[in-house]
Amino acid sequence: MSDTITFILDGQEVEARPGETVRKCARRLGIEIPGICSGINAHYSADGSCRLCMVEVEGERTLAASCKRVVTPGLNVKTASDRVTRTQRTVMELLLTDRPILTESPYHPANRFRVLSQGMEVESSRFAPHGTPPPVDASHPAIDVDMSKCILCTNCVRACNEVQNNAVIGISGRGKDSRIVFDQGDALGFSTCVACGECVQSCPTGALMPKALPTPLADTHKVDSLCPYCGVGCQITYHVADDKILYTQGRDGPGNLSKLCVKGRFGFDYARHPDRLTKPLIRIDGVAKDPEILNSGDPMSQFREASWDEALDRAAACLELAYEQFGADAIAGFGSAKGSNEEAYLFQKLIRTAFHTNNVDHCTRLCHASSVAALMEGIGSGAVTAPFTDAEKADVILVIGARPSQNHPVASTFIKSAKRNGAKLIVMDPRGQALSRHADHMIQFTPGADVALLNAMLNVIVSEDLVDHAYIENRVEGYDAFVQHIRDYPPEKMAALCGIDADTIRAVARLYATGGRAMIFWGMGVSQHTHGTDNARCLIALALLTGNVGQPGTGLHPLRGQNNVQGASDAGLIPMVLPDYTPVGNAVGRARFETAWNCELPATPGLTVVEIMHAALARDVRAMYICGENPAMSDPDLNKARRALASLDYLVVQDIFLTETAAFADVILPATSFYEKTGTFTNSNRQVQLGRNVVEPPGDAREDLWIIQSIAKRLGLDWHYENAAHVFEEMRTVMPSHAGISHLRLKREGAVTYPCPSEELPGQEVLFADGFPLPSGKGRLVPAHYSPPDEEPDAAYPFVLTTGRMLEHWHTGAMTRRASVLDALEPSPVISMHPGDLQRLDLEPGAHVRLSSRRGTLSAATRSDRDVPPGVVFLSFAFHEAAANLLTNPALDPFGKIAELKYCAVKVEKA
């Protein structure tokens, strides 16, 4: 073995790797040295505080902590001498004085200390405990704190500060008075804890525990699967008893490295909520569809239970009747970014082959459609060029229009870790955020002025000749025309538009261009504008001008919102492309699918999400099949969207709850939640992973694949898919990017990054090292022209409304509002405003106000929030009782066809 260090371990000559500690080397060789404060997983640093792992080193007077002692040549170590054993047993006794009650259940998540003490045959102590045990802190909705069980191993401190980078947990006092504290000694429920639960996972004694965990636990089993929420794609182990998820632990997946956020840790019990649909439902004859049912009344009262055969027959007959009466383009389908790749593939295949229309879309249209449009145009691919974990390889990180700590918390840990290790961080957003305190530059610019700010930066890079000329010469086209265009955007001219002074713009541009490897992350603050495509064009230009695409630690990463929005797009759940982003108008590509699917396919792009709603209201679209989407909450201008849904002749909804959209259905088909099925999901990093069945579906709910195939058969399609793996095998044959991936491989390897054209290849994490998939092989610089938002504030509507998610709530709230911990953390809608605006309107924080736009009105309580700039209000769109999209503007970006959900004019009045 080359580059190794030879030393003596328990009388045997062994070899250690450079930098390896004695304990790590011993563990690798099968020798287990006791310890409780180090080695929780590969991503925790060693601490040496528990002193259990002491070993004897020949020639040294004192024992050494093996978790900290790095191997050097010739070292002679004894791990089990009489002196070592006596010392370890004494240390265990001392630790037991701080934690006299051992957890009994072997299935308890905090049993590591008990198992260790039993293994050392030390289960009691001759030493008397010191001090009075503090009372249990039950102030937090998710976590109980019992410091009488704390042994000061400091695992929780490192979990919070080093792993999650949240800096909430610390140590107060000295010596015997040392204790774990939250913030300034606050109760956990009143601290700045974000409930990621990393401290719970790291705690070996039960001092920090999930609330309401049964004690003792019943016999549990483990299921390895994924998180059902955001695009990070965290791998999770679910602990299950009696067909119920009891608690979760993060797995060492490529996107999370064992970390979780509050939703992955505690947001699982929605699957057993009493609102779950368990029987097929059919609208009662003669009961009209009325949007007012969502404001008053019981939507369930409109329906009767039916058998599966009756419901499926009715669903298929309704869709087929509309097709026969009004033609192909009178049918439309919305698939789901929450479903699996296999479900997305079959759903779009059904709409295209049964009804011969491309009117099929999903929520990417409301998330990153403009980003995809710009990326396809500029670099020939709509996916990220590098994983978010590459932030740790970057020298400069630019985050714009995204709030990773709230919306992609685990991804944000890599950004914070990179900053802690020396990277420069630029955060650009009209609102402040949790990343602001980590940033070297917090650029809080005027809402809607992204292009003005970014073009000013591009002007500096060009005018000061900070471009990478060699990269441009070999890899980029359109440079000369771009230089002419960008001369019109000097920082001095743009400062008035974007609200950032010219000197700051220049400093940030210089840092990005000259700071080394640079990576850009963005979110829906960039994409959800009528100029969203132009915003993304500017970001692409920043990367191309400086040569920051194609190498580790560089690239373009639009953070994906839902757990499978990337995979659903890859699978063709988009009206203008077939799977693998084959344009429907490309005759050669389309012919490949026609051969595979044995039918003729339409060559004209279909309607997008918002366009379908407009067409329904105009009575051009007459019937819809909606699988797992909730446009009655997620679409802009909800009053109009709900009227559109009510106007449909036929609506079939497949979901797990009677959502706001399902209230307008003719047939409701009860589907399985994420935890009740098996399938593949693709995260923001392009990593394809396998979600597994964790619990059984309630009542008569059925798997989505079974439902889709059952409808397909009733529409005359000869489908015989046995399971998700069978569907994926077909996907591999028509999607070259996924040809090297299979369910079997995913079971073996855990995750595979696409593109992966062969099972012999590992998959490509960083794209475009040698060129771009465009006709010239070069990336394109596309000029972006500044234009103001579609609807600006005026005297009647003087505030700007911006919407988005919260840490605790996700998308339209159908899942998170039914997860008990998440709903307890944020139970009600709040309108966040700058304290100065509240004072000017003579409002106290918590006062109820009426918020109105030109499209609708709602009311909710106010919250004072200094991150919100004056003149702006923020409202999450997860709350049906104050649905933010009642107010939002449906004006579309002309390229991505995405609505301007991030900007509209509103007024605030006392309720």
Side-chain angles (χ1 to χ4, degrees):
M1 187 186 295
S2 60
D3 298 324
T4 58
I5 300 167
T6 301
F7 77 110
I8 305 299
L9 183 65
D10 289 338
Q12 300 293 317
E13 186 176 279
V14 298
E15 292 182 323
R17 296 163 181 164
E20 197 168 38
T21 64
V22 170
R23 188 171 187 235
K24 188 174 287 187
C25 178
R27 176 173 287 179
R28 181 169 53 80
L29 297 172
I31 300 171
E32 194 61 42
I33 301 173
I36 206 70
C37 72
S38 301
I40 298 167
N41 62 50
H43 312 294
Y44 275 71
S45 65
D47 187 65
S49 62
C50 76
R51 316 311 286 174
L52 278 170
C53 71
M54 306 298 281
V55 295
E56 189 173 358
V57 179
E58 186 178 80
E60 296 185 3
R61 182 177 61 85
T62 60
L63 300 182
S66 62
C67 68
K68 300 287 284 185
R69 184 61 179 267
V70 176
V71 174
T72 54
L75 204 68
N76 189 340
V77 178
K78 297 177 182 178
T79 69
S81 67
D82 287 344
R83 183 187 177 195
V84 167
T85 302
R86 286 197 309 271
T87 301
Q88 289 175 344
R89 289 175 62 85
T90 300
V91 169
M92 176 56 79
E93 283 191 76
L94 290 167
L95 292 174
L96 282 169
T97 65
D98 289 325
R99 193 196 188 272
I101 302 172
L102 292 174
T103 302
E104 294 299 326
S105 170
Y107 302 102
H108 203 289
N111 73 338
R112 292 197 302 277
F113 188 66
R114 181 191 64 82
V115 169
L116 184 61
S117 68
Q118 288 181 340
M120 295 176 67
E121 299 182 347
V122 181
E123 296 189 63
S124 61
S125 175
R126 63 199 137 127
F127 304 111
H130 60 78
T132 303
V136 173
D137 173 6
S139 61
H140 197 279
I143 301 167
D144 280 338
V145 182
D146 184 359
M147 285 303 171
S148 70
K149 299 178 179 179
C150 178
I151 60 172
L152 279 177
C153 66
T154 70
N155 287 349
C156 60
V157 177
R158 280 169 292 129
C160 188
N161 298 337
E162 296 178 16
V163 177
Q164 291 277 354
N165 293 281
N166 288 327
V168 177
I169 303 178
I171 301 176
S172 175
R174 297 172 65 86
K176 66 181 179 60
D177 296 320
S178 298
R179 61 191 178 96
I180 297 295
V181 295
F182 308 105
D183 290 339
Q184 302 299 312
D186 300 311
L188 183 61
F190 298 94
S191 72
T192 57
C193 172
V194 295
C196 69
E198 188 73 34
C199 60
V200 173
Q201 182 161 310
S202 72
C203 179
T205 67
L208 295 158
M209 286 287 290
K211 189 180 287 290
L213 198 66
T215 304
L217 292 179
D219 191 357
T220 65
H221 67 276
K222 301 177 184 179
V223 181
D224 288 340
S225 189
L226 308 171
C227 177
Y229 289 107
C230 80
V232 172
C234 294
Q235 293 191 6
I236 297 181
T237 295
Y238 293 94
H239 294 257
V240 182
D242 298 327
D243 206 35
K244 180 182 179 182
I245 300 171
L246 298 181
Y247 65 96
T248 66
Q249 289 180 306
R251 286 197 293 143
D252 197 9
N256 66 311
L257 307 184
S258 300
K259 295 173 278 193
L260 297 177
C261 80
V262 62
K263 291 187 286 293
R265 183 83 63 189
F266 299 112
F268 50 79
D269 62 339
Y270 73 87
R272 287 295 180 263
H273 194 277
D275 287 351
R276 277 296 298 272
L277 293 171
T278 59
K279 294 284 186 181
L281 302 173
I282 291 178
R283 180 170 291 274
I284 297 170
D285 291 342
V287 176
K289 301 174 185 179
D290 184 0
E292 280 302 311
I293 194 72
L294 297 179
N295 301 321
S296 59
D298 176 17
M300 186 65 80
S301 66
Q302 306 175 104
F303 301 95
R304 62 174 176 82
E305 290 186 358
S307 68
W308 269 106
D309 280 338
E310 182 188 8
L312 290 168
D313 288 346
R314 177 75 65 92
C318 288
L319 296 171
E320 191 166 38
L321 181 61
Y323 173 64
E324 291 173 351
Q325 287 183 331
F326 305 108
D329 290 333
I331 306 292
F334 288 171
S336 177
K338 296 183 287 293
S340 67
N341 289 322
E342 294 83 356
E343 291 162 6
Y345 175 82
L346 278 198
F347 187 85
Q348 61 83 33
K349 182 180 176 182
L350 182 148
I351 298 296
R352 287 181 159 123
T353 58
F355 303 115
H356 307 288
T357 180
N358 286 315
N359 289 345
V360 62
D361 208 351
H362 73 295
C363 75
T364 192
R365 195 63 43 208
L366 302 173
C367 301
H368 270 300
S370 52
S371 303
V372 171
L375 288 165
M376 293 293 290
E377 171 189 65
I379 63 174
S381 168
V384 303
T385 69
F388 50 71
T389 48
D390 259 23
E392 294 191 318
K393 301 174 184 176
D395 300 304
V396 179
I397 300 166
L398 192 161
V399 178
I400 179 169
R403 300 169 66 82
S405 294
Q406 287 75 32
N407 299 332
H408 303 84
V410 172
S412 78
T413 66
F414 297 99
I415 296 172
K416 290 183 283 188
S417 176
K419 168 59 183 170
R420 192 179 72 234
N421 292 327
K424 299 296 183 182
L425 176 60
I426 304 164
V427 177
M428 297 177 165
D429 200 289
R431 288 193 293 151
Q433 56 173 284
L435 275 186
S436 300
R437 65 186 175 91
H438 299 272
D440 295 277
H441 293 276
M442 176 62 211
I443 309 300
Q444 204 162 344
F445 63 94
T446 302
D450 310 62
V451 169
L453 172 62
L454 296 171
N455 270 353
M457 289 178 61
L458 290 162
N459 176 281
V460 172
I461 291 170
V462 169
S463 63
E464 296 186 8
D465 197 25
L466 306 179
V467 303
D468 185 334
H469 287 287
Y471 187 92
I472 290 170
E473 177 69 24
N474 296 313
R475 305 283 303 280
V476 179
E477 62 185 10
Y479 177 68
D480 292 338
F482 189 86
V483 169
Q484 294 299 317
H485 154 76
I486 210 65
R487 286 176 178 169
D488 292 335
Y489 292 89
E492 290 75 14
K493 183 178 176 182
M494 293 299 103
L497 289 173
C498 68
I500 305 299
D501 66 86
D503 288 343
T504 299
I505 294 173
R506 291 185 184 281
V508 170
R510 291 165 184 158
L511 175 59
Y512 176 82
T514 65
R517 294 164 300 180
M519 197 166 183
I520 301 175
F521 295 92
W522 73 94
M524 285 171 275
V526 164
S527 61
Q528 289 178 333
H529 288 277
T530 51
H531 49 80
T533 303
D534 279 333
N535 292 345
R537 285 167 173 160
C538 291
L539 298 176
I540 295 165
L542 281 172
L544 292 179
L545 285 175
T546 56
N548 275 305
V549 179
Q551 298 299 320
T554 70
L556 298 158
H557 194 116
L559 288 158
R560 294 303 200 162
Q562 298 203 47
N563 60 322
N564 203 38
V565 70
Q566 183 63 62
S569 300
D570 301 335
L573 202 57
I574 301 177
M576 59 284 297
V577 297
L578 295 160
D580 242 11
Y581 301 96
T582 305
V584 297
N586 181 323
V588 174
R590 190 175 67 253
R592 182 161 51 89
F593 286 93
E594 289 176 334
T595 300
W597 296 346
N598 193 29
C599 72
E600 187 175 335
L601 296 171
T604 304
L607 299 175
T608 61
V609 163
V610 178
E611 291 173 331
I612 288 170
M613 289 293 101
H614 291 166
L617 200 57
R619 304 286 288 159
D620 293 326
V621 167
R622 307 298 286 263
M624 289 189 68
Y625 180 10
I626 298 179
C627 177
E629 287 285 89
N630 192 11
M633 277 290 287
S634 61
D635 276 23
D637 192 2
L638 281 183
N639 285 321
K640 184 178 288 186
R642 291 170 179 179
R643 290 198 305 272
L645 290 168
S647 71
L648 289 167
D649 293 345
Y650 309 110
L651 174 60
V652 177
V653 172
Q654 180 174 319
D655 217 314
I656 63 174
F657 297 113
L658 203 160
T659 62
E660 291 78 8
T661 299
F664 300 101
D666 294 277
V667 180
I668 302 176
L669 306 172
T672 42
S673 76
F674 175 88
Y675 306 110
E676 297 149 11
K677 58 190 171 187
T678 294
T680 60
F681 298 79
T682 307
N683 70 359
S684 196
N685 288 343
R686 292 179 279 104
Q687 289 156 343
V688 183
Q689 304 180 108
L690 189 64
R692 293 176 175 86
N693 177 253
V694 178
V695 293
E696 294 306 307
D700 209 14
R702 300 289 177 89
E703 284 198 41
D704 292 84
L705 284 180
W706 180 88
I707 299 171
I708 295 168
Q709 184 164 222
S710 296
I711 291 179
K713 288 179 177 179
R714 284 166 168 80
L715 293 170
L717 300 176
D718 189 23
W719 288 5
H720 299 282
Y721 300 103
E722 297 173 7
N723 51 35
H726 191 185
V727 177
F728 198 86
E729 285 304 303
E730 177 177 308
M731 294 172 64
R732 296 175 64 193
T733 67
V734 295
M735 299 174 65
S737 67
H738 288 59
I741 307 173
S742 66
H743 275 226
L744 187 62
R745 184 176 180 183
L746 293 175
K747 289 177 182 177
R748 184 174 65 247
E749 299 180 21
V752 180
T753 302
Y754 86 83
C756 182
S758 166
E759 292 201 48
E760 285 70 47
L761 296 175
Q764 195 171 352
E765 287 193 349
V766 179
L767 300 179
F768 315 132
D770 302 315
F772 298 97
L774 290 166
S776 66
K778 295 184 175 184
R780 294 178 182 142
L781 289 167
V782 181
H785 301 275
Y786 172 77
S787 60
D790 180 74
E791 179 185 85
E792 296 192 275
D794 56 21
Y797 296 91
F799 286 90
V800 172
L801 169 66
T802 187
T803 69
R805 295 174 179 156
M806 310 173 81
L807 171 64
E808 298 81 6
H809 289 301
W810 180 75
H811 211 51
T812 66
M815 292 157 55
T816 56
R817 296 293 307 283
R818 293 176 172 93
S820 57
V821 167
L822 303 181
D823 202 47
L825 288 166
E826 280 287 358
S828 305
V830 288
I831 297 169
S832 298
M833 299 179 66
H834 189 275
D837 284 338
L838 287 174
Q839 186 176 20
R840 183 168 56 83
L841 294 174
D842 193 25
L843 294 169
E844 293 292 330
H848 274 259
V849 297
R850 186 165 56 250
L851 189 64
S852 305
S853 75
R854 291 177 172 86
R855 289 156 295 278
T857 297
L858 56 84
S859 64
T862 57
R863 176 177 289 175
S864 180
D865 187 349
R866 291 189 179 276
D867 282 342
V868 177
V872 175
V873 298
F874 169 79
L875 176 63
S876 168
F877 60 93
F879 297 88
H880 64 85
E881 60 267 48
N885 283 322
L886 289 167
L887 312 181
T888 49
N889 187 359
L892 298 181
D893 174 288
F895 305 97
K897 302 296 179 71
I898 192 170
E900 191 148 58
L901 296 167
K902 282 290 184 283
Y903 195 111
C904 75
V906 295
K907 61 183 177 182
V908 180
E909 302 168 293
K910 287 185 179 180

